[in-house]
Amino acid sequence: MKGKRVGLNGDTAVAFAAKQANVDVVSAYPITPQTIIVETLAKYINNGELDAAFIPVESEHSALSAAVGASLAGARVFTATASQGLALMYEILWIAAGMRTTIVMALGNRAFSPNINIHCSHDDAYAARDTGWIQFFAENVQEAYDLTLQAFKVSEDHRVLFPSIINLDGFILTHSLEGLYVLDDKTVEEFLPPKKPYNPIDPEAPKTYGPLDLYDWYMEHKKLQDYHFNNNVPPVIKEVFEEYAEISGRRYTPVKTMGVEDADIGIMILGSSAGSVRHVVRQLREKGKKVGVISLTQYRPFPKKELVEAVKNLQVLAVMDRSISFGSPGAQLYMDVASTLYNAKHRPLLFNVIYGLGGRDLTPVHIEGVVEKAEEVLKKGEVEEEQIWVGLKE
Amino acid sequence: MEAKPIKTLKDIPRVEQFAPGHRLCAGCGIPQVVRFTLKAVPDPKVVVNATGCLEVATTIFPYTSWKVPWVHNAFENAAATASGVEAAIKMLEKKYGKKRYKVIVFGGDGGTFDIGFQALSGMLERGHDIMYICYDNEAYMNTGIQRSGATPKGAHTTTSPAGKVIPGKQEKKKDLIRIAIAHGIKYAATMNPAYPVDMYNKIVKAANTPGPTVLHYFTPCPTGWYFDPSRSIEVARLAVQTRIWPLYEYDNGKIRITVPVKKPKPVEDYFKLQGRFRHLLRPENRWLLEEIKRDIEENWKELERLAEVYK
């Protein structure tokens, strides 16, 4: 591990990363649980520690709209939001991606209303899944810091030019103090020199940004966007992960696995709970149970190949979602996994586990319950109950 | 570089940064404010445009009428998008020595009075150096003539139809300029294409005023108001001469009526030219016509009073 050991919560770690990234514009609206990010950045700016414009916008919709304008003007732009704020931004999420801005946004994951809750669910991250944003999931505060720095590098790469979201679980990560290693400013500056904007607004070379695009061209433009997103983004992410590993000693991979090589049963999960699952699974493995864990650092573009590879020895896979998709064949991650594996040479039996909605704790007992359920499926060789909920009151 | 005022129409620069071939309707007043603005505001500049008639008619891919950088984000967020551009270029100038440019917003009445109102208020309150120009055709013309907060009382629109029981829109138009002034900005004015020198010089003043400014432009709409496109300027002129559309400005604490109307023409002259008002001239709607006349008179008196107080 390289860098200095400090104690920060998720919000301040992300804000510190944005400061080290030397952002030019911060456009944000206070919405719990990301508020501390905005407050910290405002403090950096007003104390002269960061030379950036802070736009204290009047809504989340305007936060992202202003970020789009600033990014097109050539600035390195950061914003942050959560749940309802993301929902209000929704229209502009598509525009930010389609106009190929390089905004980096921290998303303090939290449940959608009603009822108003403020605690962790992944509703907001999933709501953004179709919009063309790159999405990373942080498992702890260290990852939130590291991924924020790496996201700027990925988004601003001229082969990419797509905005990024760093998901960090609301309160569980945003408000928890953790020890982490931070890089020194000089190392970050070398890793992340000032943004070289691609076709920024320039009166010397006037361009029309965001024209009317009817049936004669719209489809080709969407095809191109999709092609670039699927084909250009993953290799750049890998390159950036590699470069970051060299300067930090911390190596990231799109898919994180533990024990899947020899396991029959796998548990797949996103965000901070991956650590809890790994802890329980480690104990179960000591008792001789053949269980493995899969989590994603890169959620969009969805790492299909890596997932197919990760599950190739599994017989049963429990896909855990901290959200629900009303009336859908399953919750959001489950649908991604099921459709990824449908045409794979080998696919394990799948079932979906709903957990942790609105900040409900996921305890070791719940995780053991999921493994027991998977063992039943393994024994029967079929899935009788495709979706189960854990942690519900009886 | 300072923008320069003019004395007569002959003084207007010949340079054109708004290309012909766009799809705005015959008789539409929007191109005039765009051309004048691009002529009056010195380079370098950038235009941010809300969704609306101007946006859809001038940028049908792969064509564009704009010879200056032009940005369209969405319907309600032109002021917010422009805020981002303005904040960015100021910071990029400070940090990296990049050249700053003037930011101009064009929004229709829907994108300004209604859906974009909050973003506009935020932009004004934060004091961004942006010229905001509302081209007001008094309804959602691009989507098919639906009523907006800028539609005048009595007007027929597709969502305030002149029916047997309810004869057109029953509510008054919002007062955009007074709302803008209430934010503490330095310059705001109304404009009308029938008074081009007055209009040009107001654009010049706004361009030379640092911080946010608001210009409210009356744009006749033959398609949505149901009149002969060849009579556009006549309709626009009558709006001023009937005192329905007062031409005035707020300039750093002072309010001035820039085109005094000593002897107003009858409002019927204005109404009878336009299909959207024709029902007001029927005997059964006389009560509404009288109410509208009272409103116009009160509004003018109030403006005269303000012009006296803020001399």
Side-chain angles (χ1 to χ4, degrees):
Chain A
M1 291 289 174
K2 290 179 192 167
K4 194 172 77 176
R5 181 98 172 141
V6 294
L8 296 172
N9 65 33
D11 280 343
T12 46
V14 167
F16 187 69
K19 171 181 169 282
Q20 287 192 307
N22 190 17
V23 293
D24 303 310
V25 174
V26 177
S27 162
Y29 183 84
I31 188 161
T32 308
Q34 62 89 335
T35 311
I36 304 164
I37 300 179
V38 185
E39 290 170 356
T40 309
L41 283 163
K43 215 182 283 174
Y44 287 140
I45 293 168
N46 284 10
N47 287 335
E49 295 171 64
L50 169 64
D51 205 7
F54 183 78
I55 314 178
V57 280
E58 78 296 335
S59 82
E60 299 283 353
H61 193 282
S62 284
L64 194 55
S65 300
V68 167
S71 185
L72 294 176
R76 177 169 290 161
V77 187
F78 177 81
T79 186
T81 192
S83 69
Q84 302 309 113
L86 188 284
L88 187 55
M89 283 178 177
Y90 188 73
E91 180 197 22
I92 312 303
L93 289 175
W94 292 79
I95 294 170
M99 288 181 87
R100 310 299 291 265
T101 69
T102 61
I103 301 160
V104 171
M105 172 157 76
L107 186 55
N109 303 116
R110 140 187 162 194
F112 276 160
S113 292
N115 294 336
I116 187 161
N117 169 274
I118 77 168
H119 289 280
C120 184
S121 276
H122 291 157
D123 302 343
D124 44 14
Y126 289 152
R129 68 185 176 161
D130 300 333
T131 61
W133 283 62
I134 299 163
Q135 284 202 57
F136 299 105
F137 266 91
E139 192 184 311
N140 52 42
V141 174
Q142 178 75 64
E143 290 195 3
Y145 168 82
D146 290 336
L147 289 169
T148 302
L149 288 177
Q150 294 175 87
F152 282 107
K153 183 106 173 169
V154 171
S155 282
E156 291 173 11
D157 190 297
H158 286 196
R159 292 166 291 175
V160 173
L161 301 171
F162 285 108
S164 289
I165 286 172
I166 295 101
N167 291 292
L168 62 161
D169 284 353
F171 292 97
I172 301 165
L173 296 183
T174 58
H175 285 59
S176 298
L177 191 71
E178 275 182 29
L180 72 151
Y181 292 92
V182 295
L183 299 171
D184 61 85
D185 291 352
K186 198 168 167 292
T187 306
V188 174
E189 203 187 315
E190 281 166 10
F191 172 71
L192 204 59
K195 171 174 159 175
K196 285 200 183 75
Y198 181 83
N199 274 343
I201 294 170
D202 178 8
E204 302 281 314
K207 287 175 194 72
T208 290
Y209 303 83
L212 180 69
D213 200 10
L214 300 174
Y215 35 66
D216 44 357
W217 282 106
Y218 182 87
M219 201 161 162
E220 284 71 23
H221 292 153
K222 288 300 126 182
K223 176 64 188 167
L224 186 69
Q225 183 182 341
D226 187 54
Y227 179 83
H228 284 170
F229 196 65
N230 289 326
N231 293 282
N232 297 4
V233 179
V236 173
I237 290 177
K238 275 184 194 146
E239 273 177 41
V240 171
F241 281 173
E242 200 53 44
E243 195 184 330
Y244 195 77
E246 279 167 30
I247 60 165
S248 69
R250 293 182 291 278
R251 186 172 302 273
Y252 286 79
T253 51
V255 176
K256 252 197 280 189
T257 60
M258 184 190 99
V260 290
E261 299 76 14
D262 66 351
D264 295 322
I265 290 166
I267 299 180
M268 184 165 176
I269 195 158
L270 299 174
S272 63
S273 306
S276 314
V277 172
R278 243 181 255 121
H279 174 75
V280 172
V281 165
R282 239 178 250 123
Q283 290 174 340
L284 294 174
R285 286 176 69 89
E286 273 168 27
K287 289 178 196 158
K289 297 208 174 190
K290 290 186 166 181
V291 188
V293 183
I294 301 171
S295 63
L296 302 182
T297 301
Q298 176 193 319
Y299 168 60
R300 282 291 182 276
F302 196 75
K304 288 170 75 169
K305 268 189 211 152
E306 292 85 346
L307 182 67
V308 169
E309 177 66 23
V311 303
K312 68 178 183 199
N313 296 324
L314 298 177
Q315 301 308 310
V316 179
L317 179 63
V319 182
M320 297 186 66
D321 271 289
R322 199 163 198 155
S323 178
I324 24 173
S325 177
F326 299 107
S328 297
Q332 292 88 337
L333 182 63
Y334 180 76
M335 287 193 283
D336 279 347
V337 172
S339 49
T340 298
L341 298 182
Y342 187 80
N343 283 325
K345 276 195 187 119
H346 168 78
R347 58 171 195 259
L349 293 167
L350 295 178
F351 67 97
N352 192 193
V353 182
I354 306 295
Y355 78 99
L357 303 187
R360 177 68 51 89
D361 275 339
L362 180 71
T363 66
V365 174
H366 298 147
I367 298 163
E368 282 162 15
V370 171
V371 174
E372 278 163 31
K373 181 78 189 173
E375 284 169 334
E376 272 174 43
V377 172
L378 182 64
K379 211 160 136 194
K380 284 193 183 137
E382 63 176 331
V383 178
E384 281 171 350
E385 218 180 343
E386 203 181 358
Q387 186 175 87
I388 60 165
W389 289 50
V390 297
L392 268 184
K393 287 192 176 73
E394 292 296 319
Chain B
M1 202 166 81
E2 283 259 306
K4 290 190 191 77
I6 55 165
K7 287 207 177 74
T8 71
L9 280 179
K10 285 183 184 159
D11 301 333
I12 294 178
R14 297 269 166 165
V15 62
E16 292 288 354
Q17 291 177 317
F18 186 65
H22 56 73
R23 272 81 151 179
L24 286 159
C25 305
C28 171
I30 301 170
Q32 189 172 334
V33 74
V34 173
R35 288 176 57 219
F36 273 34
T37 304
L38 298 183
K39 286 165 185 284
V41 182
D43 284 331
K45 54 188 175 262
V46 52
V47 167
V48 178
N49 202 168
T51 306
C53 289
L54 177 59
E55 169 258 331
V56 300
T58 60
T59 66
I60 306 172
F61 187 88
Y63 305 105
T64 181
S65 286
W66 300 87
K67 296 181 184 179
V68 297
W70 178 94
V71 181
H72 164 249
N73 187 337
F75 197 175
E76 67 283 58
N77 64 359
T81 307
S83 300
V85 173
E86 186 260 5
I89 53 168
K90 265 161 89 177
M91 188 44 63
L92 293 175
E93 181 191 44
K94 188 182 171 205
K95 279 169 93 166
Y96 306 113
K98 298 220 170 127
K99 201 175 170 190
R100 261 174 84 170
Y101 40 81
K102 191 80 183 171
V103 181
I104 304 160
V105 178
F106 286 107
D109 50 295
T112 304
F113 282 67
D114 295 348
I115 198 167
F117 190 62
Q118 177 182 310
L120 172 62
S121 178
M123 179 205 110
L124 298 177
E125 183 266 331
R126 292 188 300 269
H128 294 279
D129 188 13
I130 295 169
M131 290 173 69
Y132 190 101
I133 302 172
C134 171
Y135 62 91
D136 183 1
N137 48 25
E138 305 199 311
Y140 290 84
M141 297 314 184
N142 183 44
T143 48
I145 322 168
Q146 291 82 21
R147 148 245 209 256
S148 79
T151 304
K153 192 189 269 186
H156 162 96
T157 69
T158 52
T159 52
S160 65
K164 282 181 188 148
V165 181
I166 305 172
K169 193 193 175 199
Q170 296 299 293
E171 303 79 24
K172 278 203 268 187
K173 185 185 180 92
K174 271 189 207 176
D175 191 333
L176 180 68
I177 293 298
R178 272 196 258 163
I179 293 166
I181 296 169
H183 286 79
I185 66 172
K186 300 288 183 211
Y187 189 79
T190 60
M191 308 191 295
N192 181 298
Y195 296 85
V197 176
D198 177 80
M199 165 165 144
Y200 191 93
N201 287 335
K202 283 170 174 169
I203 298 169
V204 166
K205 275 194 184 174
N208 290 338
T209 306
T213 56
V214 174
L215 296 172
H216 186 196
Y217 173 71
F218 178 96
T219 180
C221 176
T223 312
W225 299 358
Y226 313 105
F227 67 82
D228 176 352
S230 69
R231 306 185 79 172
S232 245
I233 297 300
E234 191 185 343
V235 168
R237 189 175 296 117
L238 275 168
V240 174
Q241 292 178 344
T242 52
R243 292 181 170 172
I244 287 173
W245 188 272
L247 284 170
Y248 70 105
E249 68 179 4
Y250 170 86
D251 188 357
N252 209 359
K254 289 178 183 158
I255 290 175
R256 187 170 69 93
I257 297 172
T258 58
V259 177
V261 184
K262 296 256 157 54
K263 284 186 192 149
K265 295 214 162 125
V267 292
E268 287 87 346
D269 288 5
Y270 176 69
F271 286 168
K272 72 184 178 201
L273 281 182
Q274 303 171 55
R276 64 172 175 158
F277 290 125
R278 214 155 282 148
H279 59 284
L280 296 175
L281 306 174
R282 281 194 229 121
E284 67 268 27
N285 292 327
R286 191 165 186 87
W287 61 274
L288 184 55
L289 182 65
E290 292 307 319
E291 201 177 295
I292 293 167
K293 283 182 181 175
R294 273 199 305 278
D295 287 351
I296 294 167
E297 206 182 316
E298 273 171 27
N299 190 46
W300 183 267
K301 272 190 190 155
E302 174 63 5
L303 184 61
E304 281 187 327
R305 191 186 69 79
L306 290 171
E308 187 58 31
V309 174
Y310 298 99
K311 253 198 304 217

